[in-house]
Amino acid sequence: MSYKAGIVKAIEELKDRTGSSTQGIKKHMQDALPADKKWLNTPFLQALKRLVADGDIVQVKGVGASGSFKLSPEFKKKRADALKPKKAKKTAPKKPATKKKKPATKKKAAPKKKTAPKKKKPATKKKTATKKKTATKKDTAPKKKAAAKK
């Protein structure tokens, strides 16, 4: 059994309302460990951190690999959905296939009639009455004539 699976199984079996502690999970896994296997703490801590990062478990208290952990609601839904199809398959009786399917014959598609592309009429310009604007000049004082050169 992998460390990930062992951690998930331990959290489920401990059923702590406030979350299972790291020490509690570790003790539960060590009790279930076969005699020929050696406990390795580093992979356990890495698996715990990875489960939190993946969102499979939620860290209720603490930081890193210390604190309390619960199974996330998304993980519970995934697990429930994974178990449901297996039960549905067992209850549904399978019918023996006695009929042989004939090879499907391909029907030729009817040729499409070509239609001449419709010509677009040039857009008619709207004629609007244009008013000529008369330039309004300000009444300015007449310019002084330049002094004659001597």
Side-chain angles (χ1 to χ4, degrees), residues 18-119:
T18 57
S20 303
S21 68
T22 306
Q23 293 299 320
I25 296 169
K26 189 185 295 186
K27 285 180 184 177
H28 190 275
M29 286 182 66
Q30 286 176 344
D31 291 341
L33 194 69
D36 61 332
K37 298 274 183 165
K38 184 180 176 186
W39 176 260
L40 299 173
N41 202 47
T42 304
F44 167 73
L45 296 175
Q46 288 175 343
L48 200 60
K49 289 177 185 177
R50 199 172 301 121
L51 284 168
V52 172
D54 292 343
D56 293 341
I57 61 174
V58 179
Q59 190 164 11
V60 182
K61 298 176 190 171
V63 180
S66 64
S68 298
F69 301 90
K70 282 181 159 183
L71 293 176
S72 68
E74 295 89 23
F75 182 74
K76 288 179 182 178
K77 286 179 185 178
K78 285 180 194 176
R79 194 164 235 203
D81 291 342
L83 295 176
K84 285 181 182 178
K86 289 180 182 178
K87 291 179 181 177
K89 287 181 182 178
K90 289 180 182 178
T91 57
K94 293 183 179 180
K95 296 179 181 178
T98 55
K99 296 180 181 179
K100 292 183 180 179
K101 293 184 179 180
K102 295 180 182 178
T105 56
K106 294 182 181 178
K107 294 182 181 180
K108 293 182 181 178
K112 294 181 180 178
K113 295 180 182 178
K114 292 184 180 179
T115 56
K118 295 180 181 178
K119 293 182 182 178

Side-chain angles (χ1 to χ4, degrees), residues 136-142:
T136 57
K137 292 185 181 179
K138 294 181 181 178
D139 292 331
T140 57

